[in-house]
Amino acid sequence: MAIQKRKRYASVLEKECVACGTCILVCPKLAITVPRGIYAEVNTDLCIGCGLCKKACPASVIEMITNLAEEEINKNEKEGMV
């Protein structure tokens, strides 16, 4: 099994988000929406992990996540742990 590239993406702390829409305005890939008007949601398939939304968020409720799951699975397979 091949190791995939690391995938970095934005994640919103839903309970803290005030749904102001600032992140939507700065996202170059239109990966963020506020579908129910309660909090922002990130489409991780569209998100390129640029971090513009995190910088723009006035409530500081967006964090950048690096998904290492695929790499860790491959590492564990090689070590015989899976």
Side-chain angles (χ1 to χ4, degrees):
M1 189 182 294
I3 296 176
Q4 294 182 356
K5 291 181 180 179
R6 293 179 187 197
K7 171 71 173 156
R8 187 175 124 129
Y9 59 90
S11 178
V12 178
L13 301 173
E14 297 169 357
K15 292 182 180 182
E16 306 293 325
C17 180
V18 296
C20 69
T22 303
C23 53
I24 295 170
L25 297 174
V26 300
C27 181
K29 294 296 184 177
L30 306 174
I32 305 173
T33 58
V34 183
R36 292 178 289 280
I38 301 169
Y39 57 82
E41 293 181 0
V42 179
N43 180 332
T44 56
D45 291 331
L46 296 176
C47 181
I48 58 172
C50 66
L52 291 175
C53 56
K54 177 182 171 76
K55 291 176 186 173
C57 180
S60 300
V61 298
I62 299 177
E63 57 189 13
M64 301 309 294
I65 305 293
T66 302
N67 183 356
L68 300 175
E70 188 69 30
E71 291 180 29
E72 290 175 8
I73 290 169
N74 290 324
K75 179 181 174 187
N76 289 340
E77 283 178 352
K78 287 180 181 177
E79 294 174 0
M81 298 175 74
V82 175

Coordinates of all heavy atoms in Angstrom, one line a residue:
M1 N 0.8 -1.2 0.0 CA 0.0 0.0 0.0 C 0.9 1.2 0.0 O 1.8 1.4 0.8 CB -0.9 0.0 1.3 CG -1.9 1.1 1.2 SD -3.0 1.1 2.7 CE -3.8 -0.5 2.6
A2 N 0.6 2.2 -0.9 CA 1.4 3.4 -1.0 C 1.0 4.4 0.0 O -0.1 4.5 0.4 CB 1.2 4.0 -2.4
I3 N 2.0 5.1 0.4 CA 1.8 6.2 1.4 C 1.3 7.4 0.7 O 1.9 7.9 -0.3 CB 3.1 6.6 2.2 CG1 3.5 5.4 3.0 CG2 2.9 7.8 3.1 CD1 4.8 5.6 3.8
Q4 N 0.1 8.0 1.1 CA -0.4 9.1 0.5 C 0.2 10.4 1.1 O 0.7 10.4 2.2 CB -1.9 9.2 0.7 CG -2.6 8.1 -0.1 CD -4.1 8.1 0.1 OE1 -4.6 9.0 0.8 NE2 -4.8 7.2 -0.6
K5 N 0.1 11.5 0.4 CA 0.6 12.8 0.9 C -0.2 13.2 2.2 O -1.4 12.8 2.3 CB 0.4 13.9 -0.1 CG 1.3 13.7 -1.3 CD 1.1 14.9 -2.3 CE 1.9 14.8 -3.5 NZ 1.7 15.9 -4.4
R6 N 0.4 13.9 3.0 CA -0.3 14.5 4.2 C -1.4 15.4 3.7 O -1.2 16.2 2.8 CB 0.7 15.2 5.1 CG 1.7 14.4 5.7 CD 2.6 15.2 6.5 NE 3.7 14.3 7.0 CZ 4.5 14.5 8.0 NH1 4.3 15.7 8.6 NH2 5.4 13.7 8.4
K7 N -2.5 15.4 4.3 CA -3.6 16.2 3.9 C -3.9 17.2 5.1 O -4.2 16.8 6.2 CB -4.9 15.4 3.7 CG -6.1 16.2 3.5 CD -6.2 16.9 2.2 CE -7.6 17.5 2.0 NZ -7.6 18.7 1.2
R8 N -3.6 18.5 4.8 CA -3.9 19.5 5.8 C -5.2 20.2 5.4 O -5.5 20.4 4.3 CB -2.7 20.5 5.8 CG -2.8 21.5 6.8 CD -1.5 22.4 6.7 NE -1.9 23.8 6.6 CZ -1.4 24.7 7.4 NH1 -0.5 24.5 8.2 NH2 -1.8 26.0 7.2
Y9 N -6.0 20.4 6.5 CA -7.3 21.0 6.2 C -7.7 21.8 7.4 O -7.2 21.6 8.5 CB -8.4 20.0 5.8 CG -8.6 18.9 6.9 CD1 -9.5 19.1 7.9 CD2 -7.8 17.8 6.8 CE1 -9.7 18.1 8.8 CE2 -8.0 16.8 7.8 CZ -9.0 17.0 8.8 OH -9.1 16.0 9.7
A10 N -8.7 22.7 7.2 CA -9.3 23.5 8.3 C -10.3 22.7 9.1 O -11.0 21.9 8.5 CB -9.8 24.8 7.7
S11 N -10.4 23.0 10.3 CA -11.5 22.4 11.2 C -12.0 23.5 12.1 O -11.3 24.3 12.7 CB -10.9 21.3 12.0 OG -11.9 20.8 12.9
V12 N -13.4 23.6 12.2 CA -14.0 24.6 12.9 C -14.5 24.1 14.3 O -15.1 23.0 14.3 CB -15.2 25.2 12.2 CG1 -16.0 26.2 13.0 CG2 -14.8 25.7 10.8
L13 N -14.2 24.8 15.3 CA -14.7 24.5 16.7 C -16.2 24.9 16.7 O -16.5 26.1 16.9 CB -13.9 25.2 17.8 CG -12.4 24.8 17.8 CD1 -11.7 25.7 18.8 CD2 -12.2 23.4 18.1
E14 N -17.1 24.0 16.4 CA -18.5 24.3 16.2 C -19.1 25.0 17.3 O -19.9 25.9 17.1 CB -19.2 23.0 15.9 CG -18.7 22.3 14.6 CD -19.3 20.9 14.4 OE1 -20.0 20.4 15.3 OE2 -19.0 20.3 13.4
K15 N -18.8 24.6 18.5 CA -19.5 25.2 19.7 C -19.1 26.7 19.9 O -19.8 27.4 20.6 CB -19.2 24.4 21.0 CG -19.9 23.1 20.9 CD -19.7 22.3 22.2 CE -20.4 20.9 22.1 NZ -20.2 20.1 23.3
E16 N -17.9 27.1 19.4 CA -17.4 28.4 19.6 C -17.7 29.3 18.4 O -17.6 30.5 18.5 CB -15.9 28.4 19.8 CG -15.5 27.4 21.0 CD -16.0 27.9 22.3 OE1 -16.0 29.2 22.5 OE2 -16.3 27.1 23.2
C17 N -18.0 28.8 17.2 CA -18.2 29.5 16.0 C -19.5 30.4 16.1 O -20.5 29.9 16.6 CB -18.3 28.6 14.8 SG -18.6 29.4 13.2
V18 N -19.3 31.6 15.6 CA -20.5 32.6 15.7 C -21.1 32.7 14.3 O -22.0 33.6 14.1 CB -20.1 33.9 16.3 CG1 -19.7 33.8 17.7 CG2 -19.0 34.6 15.4
A19 N -20.7 32.0 13.3 CA -21.2 32.0 12.0 C -21.2 33.4 11.3 O -22.2 33.8 10.6 CB -22.7 31.4 12.0
C20 N -20.1 34.1 11.5 CA -20.0 35.4 10.9 C -19.8 35.4 9.4 O -20.1 36.4 8.7 CB -18.9 36.2 11.6 SG -17.2 35.6 11.3
G21 N -19.2 34.3 8.9 CA -19.0 34.2 7.4 C -17.7 34.8 6.9 O -17.4 34.7 5.7
T22 N -16.9 35.3 7.8 CA -15.6 35.8 7.4 C -14.7 34.7 6.7 O -14.1 35.0 5.6 CB -14.8 36.4 8.6 OG1 -15.6 37.4 9.2 CG2 -13.5 37.0 8.1
C23 N -14.8 33.5 7.2 CA -14.0 32.5 6.6 C -14.5 32.1 5.1 O -13.6 31.8 4.3 CB -14.0 31.2 7.4 SG -15.7 30.7 7.8
I24 N -15.7 32.3 4.9 CA -16.3 32.0 3.6 C -15.7 33.0 2.6 O -15.4 32.7 1.5 CB -17.8 32.1 3.6 CG1 -18.4 31.0 4.5 CG2 -18.4 32.0 2.2 CD1 -19.9 31.2 4.8
L25 N -15.6 34.3 3.0 CA -15.1 35.3 2.1 C -13.7 35.1 1.7 O -13.3 35.6 0.6 CB -15.3 36.7 2.8 CG -16.8 37.1 3.1 CD1 -16.8 38.4 3.9 CD2 -17.6 37.2 1.8
V26 N -12.9 34.5 2.5 CA -11.4 34.4 2.2 C -11.0 33.1 1.6 O -9.9 33.0 1.1 CB -10.5 34.7 3.5 CG1 -10.8 36.1 4.0 CG2 -10.8 33.7 4.6
C27 N -11.9 32.1 1.7 CA -11.6 30.8 1.2 C -11.5 30.8 -0.3 O -12.4 31.0 -1.0 CB -12.6 29.7 1.6 SG -12.2 28.1 1.1
P28 N -10.3 30.5 -0.9 CA -10.1 30.5 -2.4 C -10.7 29.3 -3.1 O -10.9 29.4 -4.3 CB -8.6 30.4 -2.5 CG -8.1 29.7 -1.3 CD -9.0 30.2 -0.2
K29 N -11.1 28.3 -2.4 CA -11.7 27.1 -3.0 C -13.2 26.9 -2.6 O -13.8 25.9 -2.9 CB -10.9 25.8 -2.6 CG -9.5 25.8 -3.1 CD -9.5 25.7 -4.6 CE -8.1 25.6 -5.2 NZ -8.2 25.5 -6.6
L30 N -13.8 27.9 -1.9 CA -15.2 27.8 -1.5 C -15.5 26.5 -0.8 O -16.5 25.9 -0.9 CB -16.1 27.9 -2.8 CG -15.9 29.2 -3.7 CD1 -16.7 29.1 -4.9 CD2 -16.1 30.4 -2.9
A31 N -14.6 26.2 0.1 CA -14.7 25.0 0.9 C -15.5 25.1 2.2 O -15.7 24.1 2.9 CB -13.3 24.4 1.2
I32 N -15.8 26.3 2.5 CA -16.5 26.6 3.8 C -17.9 27.1 3.5 O -18.1 28.0 2.7 CB -15.7 27.6 4.6 CG1 -14.3 27.1 4.8 CG2 -16.4 27.8 6.0 CD1 -13.4 28.1 5.5
T33 N -18.8 26.6 4.3 CA -20.2 27.1 4.2 C -20.8 27.2 5.6 O -20.2 26.7 6.6 CB -21.1 26.1 3.4 OG1 -21.1 24.8 4.1 CG2 -20.7 25.9 2.0
V34 N -21.9 27.9 5.8 CA -22.6 28.0 7.0 C -24.1 27.5 6.7 O -25.0 28.3 6.6 CB -22.6 29.4 7.6 CG1 -23.3 29.4 9.0 CG2 -21.2 29.9 7.8
P35 N -24.3 26.2 6.5 CA -25.5 25.7 5.9 C -26.7 25.9 6.8 O -27.8 26.1 6.3 CB -25.2 24.2 5.7 CG -24.1 23.9 6.6 CD -23.3 25.1 6.7
R36 N -26.6 25.9 8.1 CA -27.7 26.0 9.0 C -27.7 27.3 9.7 O -28.5 27.6 10.6 CB -27.8 24.8 10.0 CG -28.1 23.5 9.3 CD -28.1 22.3 10.2 NE -26.8 22.0 10.7 CZ -25.9 21.2 10.0 NH1 -26.2 20.8 8.8 NH2 -24.8 20.9 10.5
G37 N -26.7 28.2 9.4 CA -26.6 29.5 10.0 C -26.2 29.4 11.5 O -26.3 30.4 12.2
I38 N -25.7 28.3 11.9 CA -25.3 28.1 13.3 C -23.7 28.1 13.4 O -23.2 28.8 14.3 CB -25.8 26.8 13.9 CG1 -27.3 26.8 13.8 CG2 -25.4 26.6 15.3 CD1 -28.0 25.4 14.1
Y39 N -23.0 27.4 12.6 CA -21.6 27.4 12.6 C -21.1 27.0 11.2 O -21.8 26.5 10.4 CB -21.0 26.4 13.6 CG -21.6 25.0 13.5 CD1 -21.0 24.1 12.6 CD2 -22.6 24.6 14.2 CE1 -21.4 22.8 12.4 CE2 -23.1 23.3 14.1 CZ -22.5 22.4 13.2 OH -23.0 21.1 13.0
A40 N -19.9 27.4 10.9 CA -19.2 27.1 9.7 C -18.8 25.6 9.6 O -18.5 25.0 10.6 CB -18.0 28.0 9.5
E41 N -18.9 25.1 8.4 CA -18.5 23.7 8.1 C -17.5 23.7 7.0 O -17.7 24.5 6.0 CB -19.7 22.8 7.7 CG -20.7 22.6 8.9 CD -21.9 21.7 8.5 OE1 -21.9 21.3 7.3 OE2 -22.7 21.5 9.3
V42 N -16.5 22.9 7.1 CA -15.5 22.8 6.0 C -15.6 21.5 5.2 O -15.7 20.4 5.8 CB -14.0 22.8 6.7 CG1 -13.0 22.7 5.6 CG2 -13.9 24.1 7.5
N43 N -15.6 21.6 3.9 CA -15.6 20.5 3.0 C -14.1 20.1 2.9 O -13.4 20.8 2.2 CB -16.2 20.8 1.7 CG -16.3 19.6 0.7 OD1 -15.4 18.8 0.8 ND2 -17.2 19.6 -0.2
T44 N -13.7 19.0 3.6 CA -12.3 18.7 3.6 C -11.8 18.2 2.2 O -10.6 18.2 2.0 CB -12.0 17.6 4.6 OG1 -12.8 16.5 4.4 CG2 -12.2 18.2 6.0
D45 N -12.7 17.8 1.3 CA -12.3 17.4 0.0 C -11.9 18.6 -0.8 O -11.1 18.5 -1.7 CB -13.4 16.6 -0.7 CG -13.7 15.3 -0.1 OD1 -12.7 14.7 0.5 OD2 -14.8 14.8 -0.1
L46 N -12.5 19.7 -0.6 CA -12.2 21.0 -1.3 C -11.1 21.8 -0.6 O -10.4 22.5 -1.3 CB -13.4 21.8 -1.4 CG -14.6 21.3 -2.2 CD1 -15.8 22.2 -2.2 CD2 -14.2 21.0 -3.7
C47 N -11.0 21.7 0.7 CA -10.0 22.5 1.4 C -8.6 22.1 1.0 O -8.2 21.0 0.9 CB -10.2 22.2 2.9 SG -9.1 23.2 4.0
I48 N -7.8 23.2 0.7 CA -6.4 23.0 0.3 C -5.4 23.2 1.5 O -4.2 23.1 1.3 CB -6.0 23.8 -0.9 CG1 -6.2 25.3 -0.6 CG2 -6.8 23.4 -2.1 CD1 -5.7 26.2 -1.7
G49 N -5.9 23.6 2.7 CA -5.1 23.8 3.8 C -4.2 25.0 3.8 O -3.2 25.1 4.4
C50 N -4.7 26.1 3.1 CA -3.9 27.3 3.0 C -3.8 28.1 4.3 O -2.9 28.9 4.5 CB -4.4 28.2 1.9 SG -6.1 28.8 2.2
G51 N -4.8 28.0 5.2 CA -4.8 28.7 6.4 C -5.4 30.1 6.4 O -5.4 30.8 7.4
L52 N -5.9 30.5 5.3 CA -6.4 31.9 5.2 C -7.6 32.1 6.1 O -7.8 33.1 6.7 CB -6.8 32.2 3.8 CG -5.6 32.4 2.8 CD1 -6.2 32.6 1.4 CD2 -4.7 33.5 3.2
C53 N -8.4 31.1 6.2 CA -9.6 31.2 7.1 C -9.2 31.3 8.6 O -9.8 32.0 9.3 CB -10.5 30.0 6.9 SG -9.7 28.4 7.1
K54 N -8.2 30.5 8.9 CA -7.7 30.6 10.3 C -7.2 32.0 10.7 O -7.5 32.5 11.7 CB -6.6 29.6 10.5 CG -6.0 29.6 11.9 CD -4.9 28.6 12.0 CE -4.1 28.7 13.3 NZ -4.8 28.2 14.5
K55 N -6.5 32.6 9.7 CA -6.0 33.9 10.0 C -7.1 35.0 10.0 O -7.0 35.9 10.8 CB -5.0 34.3 8.9 CG -3.7 33.5 8.9 CD -2.8 33.8 7.7 CE -1.6 32.9 7.7 NZ -0.8 33.1 6.5
A56 N -8.1 34.8 9.2 CA -9.2 35.8 9.1 C -10.3 35.6 10.2 O -11.0 36.6 10.5 CB -9.9 35.6 7.8
C57 N -10.3 34.5 10.9 CA -11.4 34.2 11.8 C -11.3 35.2 13.0 O -10.4 35.1 13.8 CB -11.4 32.8 12.3 SG -12.7 32.4 13.5
P58 N -12.3 36.0 13.2 CA -12.3 37.0 14.4 C -12.5 36.3 15.7 O -12.1 36.8 16.7 CB -13.4 38.0 14.1 CG -14.3 37.2 13.2 CD -13.5 36.3 12.4
A59 N -13.1 35.1 15.7 CA -13.3 34.4 16.9 C -12.2 33.4 17.3 O -12.2 32.7 18.3 CB -14.7 33.7 16.9
S60 N -11.3 33.2 16.3 CA -10.1 32.3 16.5 C -10.6 30.9 16.8 O -10.1 30.2 17.7 CB -9.2 32.8 17.6 OG -8.6 34.0 17.3
V61 N -11.6 30.4 16.0 CA -12.1 29.1 16.3 C -11.8 28.1 15.1 O -12.4 27.0 15.1 CB -13.7 29.1 16.5 CG1 -14.0 29.9 17.7 CG2 -14.4 29.7 15.3
I62 N -10.9 28.4 14.3 CA -10.5 27.5 13.2 C -9.1 27.1 13.4 O -8.2 27.9 13.7 CB -10.6 28.2 11.8 CG1 -12.1 28.7 11.5 CG2 -10.1 27.3 10.7 CD1 -12.2 29.4 10.3
E63 N -8.9 25.8 13.3 CA -7.6 25.2 13.5 C -7.2 24.4 12.3 O -8.1 23.9 11.5 CB -7.5 24.3 14.8 CG -8.5 23.2 14.8 CD -8.5 22.5 16.2 OE1 -8.0 23.0 17.1 OE2 -9.1 21.5 16.2
M64 N -5.9 24.3 12.0 CA -5.5 23.5 10.9 C -5.1 22.1 11.4 O -4.4 21.9 12.3 CB -4.3 24.2 10.2 CG -4.6 25.6 9.7 SD -6.1 25.7 8.7 CE -5.6 24.8 7.3
I65 N -5.6 21.1 10.7 CA -5.4 19.7 11.0 C -4.6 19.0 9.9 O -4.8 19.2 8.8 CB -6.7 18.9 11.2 CG1 -7.7 19.6 12.1 CG2 -6.5 17.5 11.5 CD1 -7.2 19.6 13.6
T66 N -3.6 18.2 10.3 CA -2.9 17.4 9.4 C -3.3 16.0 9.6 O -3.1 15.4 10.7 CB -1.3 17.6 9.6 OG1 -1.0 18.9 9.4 CG2 -0.6 16.7 8.5
N67 N -3.8 15.4 8.5 CA -4.3 14.0 8.6 C -3.2 13.1 8.3 O -2.7 13.0 7.2 CB -5.5 13.8 7.6 CG -6.1 12.5 7.7 OD1 -5.6 11.6 8.4 ND2 -7.1 12.3 6.9
L68 N -2.7 12.4 9.3 CA -1.6 11.4 9.2 C -2.1 10.0 9.2 O -1.3 9.1 9.3 CB -0.6 11.6 10.3 CG 0.0 13.0 10.3 CD1 1.0 13.1 11.5 CD2 0.8 13.3 9.0
A69 N -3.4 9.8 9.2 CA -4.0 8.5 9.4 C -3.5 7.4 8.4 O -3.1 6.3 8.8 CB -5.5 8.5 9.4
E70 N -3.4 7.8 7.2 CA -3.0 6.9 6.1 C -1.5 6.5 6.3 O -1.1 5.3 6.2 CB -3.2 7.5 4.7 CG -2.9 6.5 3.6 CD -4.0 5.4 3.5 OE1 -5.1 5.6 3.9 OE2 -3.6 4.3 3.1
E71 N -0.7 7.5 6.7 CA 0.7 7.2 6.9 C 0.9 6.3 8.2 O 1.7 5.4 8.2 CB 1.5 8.5 7.1 CG 1.6 9.3 5.9 CD 2.3 10.6 6.1 OE1 3.2 10.7 7.0 OE2 2.0 11.6 5.4
E72 N 0.1 6.6 9.2 CA 0.2 5.8 10.4 C -0.2 4.3 10.2 O 0.4 3.4 10.7 CB -0.6 6.4 11.6 CG 0.1 7.7 12.0 CD -0.8 8.4 13.1 OE1 -1.8 7.8 13.5 OE2 -0.4 9.5 13.4
I73 N -1.2 4.1 9.4 CA -1.7 2.8 9.1 C -0.6 2.0 8.3 O -0.3 0.9 8.6 CB -3.0 2.8 8.2 CG1 -4.1 3.3 9.1 CG2 -3.3 1.5 7.6 CD1 -5.4 3.6 8.3
N74 N 0.0 2.7 7.3 CA 1.1 2.0 6.6 C 2.3 1.7 7.5 O 2.9 0.7 7.3 CB 1.5 2.9 5.4 CG 0.4 3.0 4.3 OD1 -0.2 2.0 4.1 ND2 0.3 4.2 3.7
K75 N 2.6 2.6 8.4 CA 3.7 2.4 9.3 C 3.5 1.2 10.2 O 4.3 0.3 10.4 CB 4.0 3.7 10.1 CG 5.1 3.5 11.1 CD 5.2 4.8 11.9 CE 6.3 4.6 13.0 NZ 6.3 5.7 14.0
N76 N 2.2 1.1 10.7 CA 1.9 0.0 11.6 C 1.9 -1.3 10.8 O 2.2 -2.3 11.4 CB 0.5 0.3 12.2 CG 0.5 1.4 13.2 OD1 1.6 1.7 13.8 ND2 -0.6 2.0 13.5
E77 N 1.5 -1.3 9.6 CA 1.5 -2.5 8.8 C 2.9 -3.0 8.6 O 3.2 -4.2 8.7 CB 0.8 -2.3 7.4 CG -0.7 -2.2 7.4 CD -1.2 -1.9 6.0 OE1 -0.5 -1.6 5.1 OE2 -2.5 -2.0 5.9
K78 N 3.8 -2.1 8.3 CA 5.2 -2.5 8.2 C 5.8 -3.1 9.4 O 6.7 -3.9 9.4 CB 6.1 -1.3 7.7 CG 5.8 -0.9 6.3 CD 6.6 0.3 5.8 CE 6.3 0.7 4.4 NZ 7.1 1.8 4.0
E79 N 5.4 -2.5 10.6 CA 5.9 -3.0 11.9 C 5.1 -4.2 12.4 O 5.4 -4.7 13.5 CB 5.8 -1.8 12.9 CG 6.7 -0.7 12.5 CD 6.5 0.5 13.4 OE1 5.7 0.4 14.4 OE2 7.3 1.5 13.2
G80 N 4.1 -4.7 11.6 CA 3.4 -5.8 12.0 C 2.4 -5.6 13.1 O 2.0 -6.5 13.8
M81 N 1.9 -4.4 13.3 CA 1.0 -4.0 14.4 C -0.4 -4.1 14.0 O -1.3 -4.1 14.8 CB 1.3 -2.6 14.9 CG 2.7 -2.5 15.5 SD 3.1 -0.8 16.0 CE 2.1 -0.7 17.4
V82 N -0.7 -4.2 12.7 CA -2.1 -4.3 12.2 C -2.4 -5.7 11.8 O -1.7 -6.4 11.3 CB -2.3 -3.3 11.0 CG1 -3.7 -3.5 10.5 CG2 -2.1 -1.9 11.5

